[in-house]
Amino acid sequence: MTKAIKLLTALPQTQRERLMELAHEVSFAEDSRIFEAGGTADRFWVIRSGAVSLDQRVTPDQRVTVGTLGAGDLLGWSWLFPPYRWDFGAEAFSAVRAYEFDASAVLALCVEDPLLGLSLVRIVAEILAHRLELTRGRLMEHYALHRHV
C-alpha cells in the first residue's frame, strides 16, 4: 500500500515557499459545508487543524461519508482537472483551520514555474493513488462483511 503523502511537506522547500506566498488562512465552524459535489472547484485547502468529512450523496436526503481528512491533508483536487467540478462534498467534522489557495493563482504559478507545476501534479497524483487504495480496501471490507447476508 502507498503511504499517506502531505502536500506541503512533500514539496521541496523553495517550491513550498513559493506556493505558500499564495496561501491565506481560513477557518470553518464545526458542521459547516465547505463545498458540494458538482460545484465549481476554484480553490483547495491544506488542513492545519481539525477534521473534514468527504461525502457522496446517495439519495436526496442521504450522504455517505467516503473519507476523513485531518492536519496536513490536501482538501480538494478537482481544481486541477477539467471540468473543474467537485467530485464529492466536504463538511467540517470539527472546527477546522486551513490554508486556502486560489486555483487560478496556483495554476498561473505552475505555468511560470514548470518544475513546481510538475512537482505539484506528481504529489497530487500520489495523494489520489493513496486515497484510491484506501477506498478500494474499504469496499472490499464492506463486501466481505455483507456478502453472506
mmCIF file of all heavy atoms in Angstrom, residues 79-115:
data_model
loop_
_atom_site.group_PDB
_atom_site.id
_atom_site.type_symbol
_atom_site.label_atom_id
_atom_site.label_comp_id
_atom_site.label_asym_id
_atom_site.label_seq_id
_atom_site.Cartn_x
_atom_site.Cartn_y
_atom_site.Cartn_z
ATOM 1 N N TRP A 79 -9.845 21.030 -8.676
ATOM 2 C CA TRP A 79 -9.390 22.289 -9.272
ATOM 3 C C TRP A 79 -8.292 22.065 -10.306
ATOM 4 O O TRP A 79 -8.046 22.918 -11.154
ATOM 5 C CB TRP A 79 -8.856 23.221 -8.183
ATOM 6 C CG TRP A 79 -7.675 22.627 -7.473
ATOM 7 C CD1 TRP A 79 -7.714 21.764 -6.408
ATOM 8 C CD2 TRP A 79 -6.302 22.789 -7.806
ATOM 9 N NE1 TRP A 79 -6.446 21.392 -6.055
ATOM 10 C CE2 TRP A 79 -5.551 21.994 -6.895
ATOM 11 C CE3 TRP A 79 -5.627 23.518 -8.781
ATOM 12 C CZ2 TRP A 79 -4.162 21.928 -6.948
ATOM 13 C CZ3 TRP A 79 -4.240 23.453 -8.826
ATOM 14 C CH2 TRP A 79 -3.527 22.655 -7.910
ATOM 15 N N LEU A 80 -7.650 20.906 -10.260
ATOM 16 C CA LEU A 80 -6.505 20.625 -11.125
ATOM 17 C C LEU A 80 -6.905 19.970 -12.444
ATOM 18 O O LEU A 80 -6.122 19.942 -13.384
ATOM 19 C CB LEU A 80 -5.517 19.727 -10.357
ATOM 20 C CG LEU A 80 -4.131 19.510 -10.909
ATOM 21 C CD1 LEU A 80 -3.413 20.825 -11.187
ATOM 22 C CD2 LEU A 80 -3.312 18.674 -9.938
ATOM 23 N N PHE A 81 -8.116 19.438 -12.521
ATOM 24 C CA PHE A 81 -8.532 18.656 -13.681
ATOM 25 C C PHE A 81 -9.871 19.137 -14.233
ATOM 26 O O PHE A 81 -10.822 19.295 -13.463
ATOM 27 C CB PHE A 81 -8.676 17.170 -13.283
ATOM 28 C CG PHE A 81 -7.442 16.604 -12.653
ATOM 29 C CD1 PHE A 81 -7.370 16.412 -11.279
ATOM 30 C CD2 PHE A 81 -6.333 16.263 -13.417
ATOM 31 C CE1 PHE A 81 -6.236 15.895 -10.683
ATOM 32 C CE2 PHE A 81 -5.191 15.754 -12.835
ATOM 33 C CZ PHE A 81 -5.139 15.565 -11.465
ATOM 34 N N PRO A 82 -9.941 19.339 -15.570
ATOM 35 C CA PRO A 82 -11.238 19.680 -16.155
ATOM 36 C C PRO A 82 -12.242 18.577 -15.843
ATOM 37 O O PRO A 82 -11.842 17.421 -15.741
ATOM 38 C CB PRO A 82 -10.962 19.739 -17.662
ATOM 39 C CG PRO A 82 -9.467 19.949 -17.761
ATOM 40 C CD PRO A 82 -8.881 19.268 -16.555
ATOM 41 N N PRO A 83 -13.484 18.864 -15.644
ATOM 42 C CA PRO A 83 -14.182 20.143 -15.863
ATOM 43 C C PRO A 83 -14.178 21.066 -14.645
ATOM 44 O O PRO A 83 -14.998 21.990 -14.569
ATOM 45 C CB PRO A 83 -15.606 19.698 -16.197
ATOM 46 C CG PRO A 83 -15.795 18.468 -15.357
ATOM 47 C CD PRO A 83 -14.445 17.793 -15.326
ATOM 48 N N TYR A 84 -13.288 20.847 -13.683
ATOM 49 C CA TYR A 84 -13.145 21.708 -12.504
ATOM 50 C C TYR A 84 -14.436 21.775 -11.680
ATOM 51 O O TYR A 84 -14.919 22.838 -11.316
ATOM 52 C CB TYR A 84 -12.663 23.117 -12.890
ATOM 53 C CG TYR A 84 -11.458 23.091 -13.785
ATOM 54 C CD1 TYR A 84 -11.564 23.445 -15.135
ATOM 55 C CD2 TYR A 84 -10.221 22.683 -13.311
ATOM 56 C CE1 TYR A 84 -10.454 23.399 -15.973
ATOM 57 C CE2 TYR A 84 -9.110 22.632 -14.140
ATOM 58 C CZ TYR A 84 -9.234 22.985 -15.468
ATOM 59 O OH TYR A 84 -8.144 22.929 -16.286
ATOM 60 N N ARG A 85 -14.967 20.590 -11.400
ATOM 61 C CA ARG A 85 -16.167 20.434 -10.571
ATOM 62 C C ARG A 85 -15.832 19.477 -9.434
ATOM 63 O O ARG A 85 -15.137 18.474 -9.643
ATOM 64 C CB ARG A 85 -17.338 19.848 -11.378
ATOM 65 C CG ARG A 85 -17.784 20.716 -12.513
ATOM 66 C CD ARG A 85 -18.722 21.759 -12.010
ATOM 67 N NE ARG A 85 -19.087 22.685 -13.080
ATOM 68 C CZ ARG A 85 -19.414 23.929 -12.860
ATOM 69 N NH1 ARG A 85 -19.440 24.402 -11.640
ATOM 70 N NH2 ARG A 85 -19.735 24.715 -13.844
ATOM 71 N N TRP A 86 -16.333 19.745 -8.246
ATOM 72 C CA TRP A 86 -16.075 18.873 -7.110
ATOM 73 C C TRP A 86 -16.696 17.500 -7.347
ATOM 74 O O TRP A 86 -17.851 17.406 -7.758
ATOM 75 C CB TRP A 86 -16.642 19.461 -5.816
ATOM 76 C CG TRP A 86 -16.056 20.784 -5.432
ATOM 77 C CD1 TRP A 86 -16.727 21.963 -5.305
ATOM 78 C CD2 TRP A 86 -14.692 21.059 -5.114
ATOM 79 N NE1 TRP A 86 -15.855 22.951 -4.925
ATOM 80 C CE2 TRP A 86 -14.591 22.431 -4.811
ATOM 81 C CE3 TRP A 86 -13.539 20.290 -5.069
ATOM 82 C CZ2 TRP A 86 -13.400 23.040 -4.459
ATOM 83 C CZ3 TRP A 86 -12.340 20.902 -4.723
ATOM 84 C CH2 TRP A 86 -12.280 22.257 -4.419
ATOM 85 N N ASP A 87 -15.940 16.448 -7.067
ATOM 86 C CA ASP A 87 -16.444 15.079 -7.183
ATOM 87 C C ASP A 87 -17.196 14.644 -5.931
ATOM 88 O O ASP A 87 -18.027 13.742 -5.989
ATOM 89 C CB ASP A 87 -15.300 14.096 -7.439
ATOM 90 C CG ASP A 87 -14.800 14.184 -8.866
ATOM 91 O OD1 ASP A 87 -15.633 14.253 -9.774
ATOM 92 O OD2 ASP A 87 -13.569 14.193 -9.056
ATOM 93 N N PHE A 88 -16.890 15.250 -4.805
ATOM 94 C CA PHE A 88 -17.505 14.909 -3.532
ATOM 95 C C PHE A 88 -17.965 16.197 -2.853
ATOM 96 O O PHE A 88 -17.638 17.284 -3.307
ATOM 97 C CB PHE A 88 -16.502 14.200 -2.599
ATOM 98 C CG PHE A 88 -15.938 12.938 -3.175
ATOM 99 C CD1 PHE A 88 -14.673 12.918 -3.741
ATOM 100 C CD2 PHE A 88 -16.678 11.767 -3.147
ATOM 101 C CE1 PHE A 88 -14.161 11.749 -4.280
ATOM 102 C CE2 PHE A 88 -16.173 10.592 -3.687
ATOM 103 C CZ PHE A 88 -14.915 10.588 -4.251
ATOM 104 N N GLY A 89 -18.660 16.038 -1.748
ATOM 105 C CA GLY A 89 -18.950 17.158 -0.880
ATOM 106 C C GLY A 89 -17.999 17.106 0.297
ATOM 107 O O GLY A 89 -17.371 16.072 0.560
ATOM 108 N N ALA A 90 -17.876 18.208 1.018
ATOM 109 C CA ALA A 90 -16.999 18.255 2.195
ATOM 110 C C ALA A 90 -17.665 19.059 3.291
ATOM 111 O O ALA A 90 -18.279 20.097 3.031
ATOM 112 C CB ALA A 90 -15.650 18.865 1.840
ATOM 113 N N GLU A 91 -17.527 18.545 4.517
ATOM 114 C CA GLU A 91 -18.111 19.196 5.682
ATOM 115 C C GLU A 91 -17.106 19.165 6.829
ATOM 116 O O GLU A 91 -16.425 18.160 7.027
ATOM 117 C CB GLU A 91 -19.383 18.451 6.093
ATOM 118 C CG GLU A 91 -20.134 19.109 7.225
ATOM 119 C CD GLU A 91 -21.482 18.469 7.439
ATOM 120 O OE1 GLU A 91 -22.268 18.401 6.482
ATOM 121 O OE2 GLU A 91 -21.736 18.028 8.583
ATOM 122 N N ALA A 92 -17.040 20.254 7.554
ATOM 123 C CA ALA A 92 -16.159 20.309 8.726
ATOM 124 C C ALA A 92 -16.736 19.383 9.795
ATOM 125 O O ALA A 92 -17.832 19.595 10.279
ATOM 126 C CB ALA A 92 -16.041 21.736 9.246
ATOM 127 N N PHE A 93 -15.983 18.353 10.128
ATOM 128 C CA PHE A 93 -16.392 17.388 11.160
ATOM 129 C C PHE A 93 -16.186 17.995 12.545
ATOM 130 O O PHE A 93 -16.875 17.679 13.492
ATOM 131 C CB PHE A 93 -15.576 16.104 10.985
ATOM 132 C CG PHE A 93 -15.968 14.991 11.902
ATOM 133 C CD1 PHE A 93 -17.141 14.287 11.699
ATOM 134 C CD2 PHE A 93 -15.157 14.644 12.972
ATOM 135 C CE1 PHE A 93 -17.502 13.254 12.544
ATOM 136 C CE2 PHE A 93 -15.512 13.613 13.826
ATOM 137 C CZ PHE A 93 -16.693 12.919 13.607
ATOM 138 N N SER A 94 -15.188 18.864 12.643
ATOM 139 C CA SER A 94 -14.906 19.632 13.851
ATOM 140 C C SER A 94 -14.507 21.028 13.372
ATOM 141 O O SER A 94 -14.471 21.276 12.169
ATOM 142 C CB SER A 94 -13.758 18.985 14.638
ATOM 143 O OG SER A 94 -12.558 19.029 13.879
ATOM 144 N N ALA A 95 -14.212 21.921 14.282
ATOM 145 C CA ALA A 95 -13.702 23.231 13.863
ATOM 146 C C ALA A 95 -12.414 23.004 13.077
ATOM 147 O O ALA A 95 -11.569 22.192 13.468
ATOM 148 C CB ALA A 95 -13.445 24.109 15.073
ATOM 149 N N VAL A 96 -12.282 23.700 11.958
ATOM 150 C CA VAL A 96 -11.147 23.484 11.050
ATOM 151 C C VAL A 96 -10.437 24.803 10.794
ATOM 152 O O VAL A 96 -11.079 25.827 10.560
ATOM 153 C CB VAL A 96 -11.635 22.883 9.701
ATOM 154 C CG1 VAL A 96 -10.518 22.840 8.678
ATOM 155 C CG2 VAL A 96 -12.229 21.500 9.908
ATOM 156 N N ARG A 97 -9.118 24.733 10.834
ATOM 157 C CA ARG A 97 -8.273 25.834 10.368
ATOM 158 C C ARG A 97 -7.489 25.296 9.189
ATOM 159 O O ARG A 97 -7.025 24.143 9.213
ATOM 160 C CB ARG A 97 -7.334 26.301 11.473
ATOM 161 C CG ARG A 97 -8.115 26.977 12.614
ATOM 162 C CD ARG A 97 -7.253 27.381 13.798
ATOM 163 N NE ARG A 97 -6.002 28.014 13.428
ATOM 164 C CZ ARG A 97 -4.837 27.768 14.036
ATOM 165 N NH1 ARG A 97 -4.759 26.916 15.039
ATOM 166 N NH2 ARG A 97 -3.743 28.390 13.656
ATOM 167 N N ALA A 98 -7.351 26.107 8.140
ATOM 168 C CA ALA A 98 -6.700 25.620 6.924
ATOM 169 C C ALA A 98 -6.030 26.761 6.180
ATOM 170 O O ALA A 98 -6.353 27.938 6.377
ATOM 171 C CB ALA A 98 -7.737 24.947 6.014
ATOM 172 N N TYR A 99 -5.099 26.376 5.316
ATOM 173 C CA TYR A 99 -4.557 27.298 4.324
ATOM 174 C C TYR A 99 -5.412 27.139 3.075
ATOM 175 O O TYR A 99 -5.645 26.021 2.617
ATOM 176 C CB TYR A 99 -3.109 26.962 3.975
ATOM 177 C CG TYR A 99 -2.128 27.157 5.094
ATOM 178 C CD1 TYR A 99 -1.401 26.085 5.593
ATOM 179 C CD2 TYR A 99 -1.893 28.421 5.630
ATOM 180 C CE1 TYR A 99 -0.481 26.257 6.614
ATOM 181 C CE2 TYR A 99 -0.976 28.607 6.652
ATOM 182 C CZ TYR A 99 -0.264 27.517 7.135
ATOM 183 O OH TYR A 99 0.637 27.692 8.148
ATOM 184 N N GLU A 100 -5.877 28.259 2.531
ATOM 185 C CA GLU A 100 -6.677 28.222 1.310
ATOM 186 C C GLU A 100 -5.847 28.771 0.160
ATOM 187 O O GLU A 100 -5.119 29.749 0.327
ATOM 188 C CB GLU A 100 -7.946 29.055 1.486
ATOM 189 C CG GLU A 100 -8.876 28.991 0.285
ATOM 190 C CD GLU A 100 -10.158 29.741 0.537
ATOM 191 O OE1 GLU A 100 -10.171 30.984 0.327
ATOM 192 O OE2 GLU A 100 -11.144 29.090 0.950
ATOM 193 N N PHE A 101 -5.995 28.122 -0.995
ATOM 194 C CA PHE A 101 -5.264 28.520 -2.199
ATOM 195 C C PHE A 101 -6.259 28.748 -3.331
ATOM 196 O O PHE A 101 -7.123 27.895 -3.579
ATOM 197 C CB PHE A 101 -4.274 27.426 -2.612
ATOM 198 C CG PHE A 101 -3.219 27.136 -1.597
ATOM 199 C CD1 PHE A 101 -3.459 26.238 -0.569
ATOM 200 C CD2 PHE A 101 -1.988 27.768 -1.656
ATOM 201 C CE1 PHE A 101 -2.487 25.959 0.379
ATOM 202 C CE2 PHE A 101 -1.004 27.506 -0.709
ATOM 203 C CZ PHE A 101 -1.253 26.598 0.312
ATOM 204 N N ASP A 102 -6.129 29.861 -4.012
ATOM 205 C CA ASP A 102 -6.940 30.141 -5.186
ATOM 206 C C ASP A 102 -6.369 29.337 -6.360
ATOM 207 O O ASP A 102 -5.183 29.453 -6.681
ATOM 208 C CB ASP A 102 -6.897 31.643 -5.486
ATOM 209 C CG ASP A 102 -7.645 31.976 -6.746
ATOM 210 O OD1 ASP A 102 -8.872 32.158 -6.666
ATOM 211 O OD2 ASP A 102 -7.010 32.043 -7.820
ATOM 212 N N ALA A 103 -7.213 28.520 -6.989
ATOM 213 C CA ALA A 103 -6.740 27.615 -8.045
ATOM 214 C C ALA A 103 -6.141 28.360 -9.227
ATOM 215 O O ALA A 103 -5.093 27.964 -9.742
ATOM 216 C CB ALA A 103 -7.883 26.714 -8.506
ATOM 217 N N SER A 104 -6.767 29.442 -9.669
ATOM 218 C CA SER A 104 -6.241 30.143 -10.842
ATOM 219 C C SER A 104 -4.867 30.735 -10.557
ATOM 220 O O SER A 104 -3.984 30.716 -11.422
ATOM 221 C CB SER A 104 -7.216 31.213 -11.335
ATOM 222 O OG SER A 104 -7.458 32.162 -10.325
ATOM 223 N N ALA A 105 -4.640 31.227 -9.346
ATOM 224 C CA ALA A 105 -3.324 31.766 -8.985
ATOM 225 C C ALA A 105 -2.281 30.655 -8.938
ATOM 226 O O ALA A 105 -1.144 30.830 -9.400
ATOM 227 C CB ALA A 105 -3.395 32.492 -7.645
ATOM 228 N N VAL A 106 -2.657 29.487 -8.397
ATOM 229 C CA VAL A 106 -1.713 28.361 -8.336
ATOM 230 C C VAL A 106 -1.412 27.857 -9.732
ATOM 231 O O VAL A 106 -0.250 27.570 -10.071
ATOM 232 C CB VAL A 106 -2.255 27.243 -7.423
ATOM 233 C CG1 VAL A 106 -1.371 26.000 -7.503
ATOM 234 C CG2 VAL A 106 -2.364 27.729 -5.985
ATOM 235 N N LEU A 107 -2.434 27.747 -10.581
ATOM 236 C CA LEU A 107 -2.203 27.288 -11.956
ATOM 237 C C LEU A 107 -1.312 28.268 -12.720
ATOM 238 O O LEU A 107 -0.443 27.845 -13.487
ATOM 239 C CB LEU A 107 -3.526 27.056 -12.669
ATOM 240 C CG LEU A 107 -4.345 25.876 -12.139
ATOM 241 C CD1 LEU A 107 -5.748 25.874 -12.739
ATOM 242 C CD2 LEU A 107 -3.636 24.552 -12.384
ATOM 243 N N ALA A 108 -1.488 29.565 -12.491
ATOM 244 C CA ALA A 108 -0.617 30.563 -13.127
ATOM 245 C C ALA A 108 0.823 30.403 -12.636
ATOM 246 O O ALA A 108 1.774 30.504 -13.426
ATOM 247 C CB ALA A 108 -1.133 31.971 -12.847
ATOM 248 N N LEU A 109 0.990 30.136 -11.345
ATOM 249 C CA LEU A 109 2.319 29.906 -10.798
ATOM 250 C C LEU A 109 2.956 28.663 -11.437
ATOM 251 O O LEU A 109 4.151 28.648 -11.719
ATOM 252 C CB LEU A 109 2.258 29.749 -9.276
ATOM 253 C CG LEU A 109 3.568 29.463 -8.550
ATOM 254 C CD1 LEU A 109 4.586 30.591 -8.765
ATOM 255 C CD2 LEU A 109 3.314 29.244 -7.065
ATOM 256 N N CYS A 110 2.167 27.643 -11.683
ATOM 257 C CA CYS A 110 2.670 26.416 -12.307
ATOM 258 C C CYS A 110 3.136 26.666 -13.742
ATOM 259 O O CYS A 110 4.112 26.056 -14.197
ATOM 260 C CB CYS A 110 1.602 25.326 -12.290
ATOM 261 S SG CYS A 110 1.235 24.695 -10.643
ATOM 262 N N VAL A 111 2.456 27.555 -14.449
ATOM 263 C CA VAL A 111 2.887 27.926 -15.808
ATOM 264 C C VAL A 111 4.197 28.700 -15.730
ATOM 265 O O VAL A 111 5.123 28.477 -16.517
ATOM 266 C CB VAL A 111 1.791 28.748 -16.529
ATOM 267 C CG1 VAL A 111 2.312 29.364 -17.818
ATOM 268 C CG2 VAL A 111 0.572 27.867 -16.799
ATOM 269 N N GLU A 112 4.294 29.593 -14.765
ATOM 270 C CA GLU A 112 5.502 30.399 -14.564
ATOM 271 C C GLU A 112 6.682 29.538 -14.113
ATOM 272 O O GLU A 112 7.816 29.788 -14.498
ATOM 273 C CB GLU A 112 5.205 31.471 -13.513
ATOM 274 C CG GLU A 112 6.372 32.350 -13.154
ATOM 275 C CD GLU A 112 6.013 33.265 -11.983
ATOM 276 O OE1 GLU A 112 4.916 33.840 -11.984
ATOM 277 O OE2 GLU A 112 6.863 33.378 -11.068
ATOM 278 N N ASP A 113 6.410 28.542 -13.299
ATOM 279 C CA ASP A 113 7.445 27.670 -12.734
ATOM 280 C C ASP A 113 7.069 26.211 -13.029
ATOM 281 O O ASP A 113 6.468 25.541 -12.199
ATOM 282 C CB ASP A 113 7.546 27.904 -11.229
ATOM 283 C CG ASP A 113 8.672 27.122 -10.571
ATOM 284 O OD1 ASP A 113 9.217 26.178 -11.188
ATOM 285 O OD2 ASP A 113 9.004 27.442 -9.414
ATOM 286 N N PRO A 114 7.425 25.721 -14.244
ATOM 287 C CA PRO A 114 7.023 24.367 -14.645
ATOM 288 C C PRO A 114 7.524 23.264 -13.710
ATOM 289 O O PRO A 114 6.850 22.241 -13.554
ATOM 290 C CB PRO A 114 7.614 24.201 -16.042
ATOM 291 C CG PRO A 114 7.844 25.579 -16.537
ATOM 292 C CD PRO A 114 8.122 26.416 -15.321
ATOM 293 N N LEU A 115 8.667 23.451 -13.071
ATOM 294 C CA LEU A 115 9.146 22.429 -12.129
ATOM 295 C C LEU A 115 8.235 22.337 -10.913
ATOM 296 O O LEU A 115 7.947 21.246 -10.429
ATOM 297 C CB LEU A 115 10.587 22.708 -11.708
ATOM 298 C CG LEU A 115 11.644 22.471 -12.793
ATOM 299 C CD1 LEU A 115 13.034 22.843 -12.283
ATOM 300 C CD2 LEU A 115 11.610 21.035 -13.269
#
